[in-house]
């Protein structure tokens, strides 16, 4: 006998393998639902519910980590960790149907969380009946219409060179062009509305006129009036680094145009965000923020399926927070919404590598995308489009290879 460890990307690959080594279709179906263990953090669990859940979980072969104080019957609300395969969950749900203390509602919640977590393909609606498919990774190329851009140094601040760069980025593989007229780097001062309009609108009009409907154009702004004029000029998506917080009119504009919106997490404003940001647990705080922002957005008439989430690397985060966000990127999938990542040339890459010059941070920027890619990121906001496109192509080819 020989022993080795095998790995399977998902349930379907395991089922395929089981069939290929001679299991029956029914056997492969059952066994593949035992092949992957899921961990569900359940918070706000009553002491009695926590103890029943543990017992029921153990009885079906699963388990549940319950804090000592809860298993000693101290009254309270606790956070527990349910550990189960898909097959064990099915058996556990049958038992929970009969249980009190809020446990009846748990199966629906666990099922919804798992369904969202496993969702891997999205289609967003764009103006003029177009669509933005997000089953494969999409590159969002950065087009700075700012004279003081930290990476482009104002090289593309004339209309003609901006359009040329947009054209080049599309040829290099960008699906989305993100046009911004206000720097959001730490300490940056806000730009007056009319100045931002003056920078951004002619670029959007010219890119749309020259390149037609093909590129998806997003406007990087937190100002509702800039977004409105950009959408009139041909933009398709609003990229709001404030997650609809800074301008009370923004959600209404997005809702009335029915366009996709990027809700990014930020702590503070670009001016003050790097002044001693602190998190107990950045990932959990960002997840709570997304929950609140999604509720706000949908309450304002934005369709849930038109929301893209972005944890906002570098926006009010310490180095450790940025690294943890990347390491635990997959946790943001709990919403079942497409995820965007923007690490390109950012200062945390400089902090890790010692590379001071942002343009020299390509290798570090690409490396930072790996955990985000495997965590399910679908949109990659970058300066170096060609290199990122090729990089993602290789990751994609490996993922899709049938071994
Ligand atoms: C404008 N901008 C700068 N960095 C960004 C990031 O990481 N995400 C998004 N959505 N926008 C960004």
């Amino acid at each position: 006998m020989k022993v080795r460890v095998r790995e399977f990307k998902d349930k379907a690959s395991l089922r395929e393998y089981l069939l290929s080594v001679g299991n029956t279709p029914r056997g492969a179906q059952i066994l593949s639902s035992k092949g992957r263990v899921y961990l569900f953090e359940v918070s706000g669990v009553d002491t009695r519910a926590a103890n029943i859940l543990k017992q029921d979980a153990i009885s079906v072969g699963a388990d549940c980590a319950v804090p000592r104080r809860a298993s000693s019957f101290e009254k309270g609300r606790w956070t527990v960790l349910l550990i189960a395969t898909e097959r064990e969950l099915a058996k556990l749900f049958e038992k929970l149907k009969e249980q009190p203390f809020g446990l009846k509602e748990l199966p629906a919640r666990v099922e919804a969380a798992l369904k969202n977590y496993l969702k891997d393909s999205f289609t967003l609606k764009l103006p003029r009946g177009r669509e933005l498919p997000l089953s494969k990774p999409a590159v969002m190329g950065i087009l700075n219409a700012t004279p003081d851009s930290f990476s482009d140094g104002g090289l593309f601040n004339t209309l003609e060179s901006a359009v040329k760069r947009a054209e080049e980025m599309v040829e290099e593989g960008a699906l989305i062009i993100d046009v911004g007229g206000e720097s959001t780097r730490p300490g940056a001062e806000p730009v007056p509305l009319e100045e931002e309009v003056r920078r951004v609108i002619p670029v959007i009009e010219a890119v749309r006129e020259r390149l037609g409907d093909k590129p998806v154009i997003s406007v990087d702004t937190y100002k509702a009036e800039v977004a409105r004029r950009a959408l009139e000029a041909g933009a398709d998506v609003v990229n709001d680094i404030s997650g609809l917080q800074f301008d009370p009119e923004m959600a209404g504009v997005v809702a009335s145009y029915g366009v996709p919106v990027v809700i990014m997490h930020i702590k503070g404003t670009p001016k003050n965000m790097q002044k001693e940001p602190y998190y107990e647990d950045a990932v959990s705080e960002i997840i709570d923020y997304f929950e609140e922002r999604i509720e706000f957005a949908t309450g304002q008439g934005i369709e849930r399926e038109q929301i893209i989430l972005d944890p906002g690397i570098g926006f009010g985060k310490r180095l450790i927070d940025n690294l943890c966000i990347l390491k635990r990127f997959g946790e943001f999938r709990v919403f079942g919404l497409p995820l965007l990542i923007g690490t390109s040339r950012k200062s945390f890459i400089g902090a890790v590598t010692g590379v001071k010059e942002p343009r020299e941070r390509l290798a570090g920027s690409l490396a930072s995308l790996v955990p985000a890619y495997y965590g399910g990121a679908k949109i990659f906001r970058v300066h170096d489009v060609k290199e990122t496109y090729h990089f993602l192509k290789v990751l994609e080819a490996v993922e899709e290879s049938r071994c």
Side-chain angles (χ1 to χ4, degrees):
M1 279 198 289
K2 281 202 294 192
V3 178
R4 64 193 176 116
V5 178
R6 290 291 306 249
E7 287 185 352
F8 299 93
K9 179 180 140 239
D10 52 26
K11 190 176 162 187
S13 324
L14 172 57
R15 194 172 50 231
E16 218 170 284
Y17 163 80
L18 291 170
L19 288 171
S20 78
V21 293
N23 288 271
T24 62
R26 177 79 185 126
Q29 178 66 28
I30 293 171
L31 289 164
S32 61
S33 68
K34 294 180 174 184
R36 185 162 175 193
V37 175
Y38 294 102
L39 306 172
F40 301 94
E41 183 183 279
V42 189
S43 51
V45 185
D46 169 281
T47 305
R48 294 158 299 178
N51 284 290
I52 295 172
L53 184 58
K54 170 123 190 148
Q55 263 183 9
D56 281 351
I58 289 173
S59 76
V60 299
D63 211 331
C64 185
V66 171
R68 182 61 171 269
R69 286 163 63 197
S71 52
S72 312
F73 295 100
E74 187 179 319
K75 254 185 159 182
R77 297 261 165 200
W78 311 97
T79 296
V80 303
L81 191 74
L82 176 61
I83 306 165
T85 64
E86 219 178 284
R87 182 113 180 121
E88 289 158 358
L89 282 178
K91 291 188 203 158
L92 177 63
F93 291 169
E94 278 305 307
K95 298 200 164 222
L96 294 181
K97 267 195 211 157
E98 315 293 329
Q99 299 291 18
F101 314 126
L103 287 172
K104 273 189 203 58
E105 289 89 65
L106 189 59
R109 294 192 184 195
V110 171
E111 257 171 337
L114 186 57
K115 187 168 168 234
N116 280 344
Y117 179 78
L118 295 176
K119 188 168 163 66
D120 196 37
S121 177
F122 309 87
T123 305
L124 280 74
K125 287 179 284 183
L126 300 178
R128 301 182 297 289
R130 289 144 61 241
E131 286 184 341
L132 172 57
L134 292 175
S135 47
K136 292 184 184 310
V139 174
M140 174 189 260
I142 300 168
L143 191 62
N144 286 316
T146 55
D148 65 336
S149 158
F150 75 102
S151 288
D152 287 333
L155 271 182
F156 301 108
N157 58 3
T158 67
L159 194 55
E160 187 50 32
S161 47
V163 178
K164 273 218 176 92
R165 178 62 188 140
E167 199 165 8
E168 189 177 50
M169 287 198 287
V170 171
E171 277 163 17
E172 290 175 350
L175 199 65
I176 309 168
I177 304 294
D178 191 38
V179 184
E182 176 177 317
S183 169
T184 51
R185 70 168 188 262
E189 293 285 351
V191 167
L193 170 72
E194 282 312 322
E195 174 60 15
E196 196 177 330
V197 165
R198 198 185 62 76
R199 292 177 187 179
V200 154
I201 304 303
V203 173
I204 293 174
E205 282 170 347
V207 171
R208 187 55 84 214
E209 193 183 300
R210 190 84 68 82
L211 304 186
D213 258 353
K214 185 177 176 203
V216 175
I217 301 177
S218 61
V219 59
D220 154 22
T221 188
Y222 55 79
K223 298 188 186 84
E225 183 56 15
V226 176
R228 192 189 64 73
R229 293 207 210 172
L231 293 167
E232 284 297 322
D236 301 304
V237 175
V238 174
N239 174 21
D240 183 352
I241 58 131
S242 85
L244 309 171
Q245 292 185 93
F246 292 175
D247 188 331
E249 309 294 320
M250 183 60 112
V253 169
V254 172
S256 66
Y257 282 82
V259 289
V261 60
V262 179
I263 292 189
M264 199 194 79
H265 175 268
I266 184 170
K267 205 179 185 83
T269 64
K271 181 122 185 73
N272 65 21
M273 64 191 180
Q274 288 309 113
K275 288 191 180 141
E276 297 184 32
Y278 176 77
Y279 301 81
E280 273 300 317
D281 173 351
V283 173
S284 298
E285 202 172 302
I286 294 168
I287 286 176
D288 288 346
Y289 165 91
F290 284 154
E291 201 169 315
E292 187 274 322
R293 287 287 88 195
I294 293 167
E295 206 173 309
F296 170 78
T298 52
Q300 298 288 309
I302 295 173
E303 263 182 75
R304 194 178 190 281
E305 291 68 29
Q306 291 287 77
I307 296 174
I308 299 160
L309 300 174
D310 176 353
I313 292 283
F315 285 84
K317 319 275 186 327
R318 300 162 298 176
L319 173 60
I320 184 69
D321 304 318
N322 292 318
L323 298 175
C324 287
I325 288 167
L326 291 171
K327 192 168 188 177
R328 293 169 58 193
F329 201 82
E331 292 185 33
F332 300 121
R333 278 157 52 180
V334 72
F335 297 100
L337 293 172
L339 301 172
L340 185 151
I341 184 73
T343 56
S344 186
R345 302 182 181 177
K346 286 191 177 168
S347 62
F348 86 100
I349 308 271
V352 172
T353 59
V355 178
K356 293 220 163 43
E357 170 55 47
R359 283 166 203 272
E360 301 295 321
R361 293 179 185 155
L362 173 60
S365 301
L366 292 176
S368 70
L369 298 183
V370 173
Y373 172 86
Y374 286 110
K378 290 293 176 210
I379 303 178
F380 297 79
R381 184 181 183 276
V382 300
H383 298 88
D384 302 288
V385 169
K386 183 176 67 185
E387 293 81 355
T388 308
Y389 182 75
H390 291 164
F391 181 83
L392 291 169
K393 271 276 181 214
V394 174
L395 291 179
E396 210 33 26
V398 172
E399 272 295 276
E400 292 193 344
S401 59
R402 295 167 62 88
C403 312

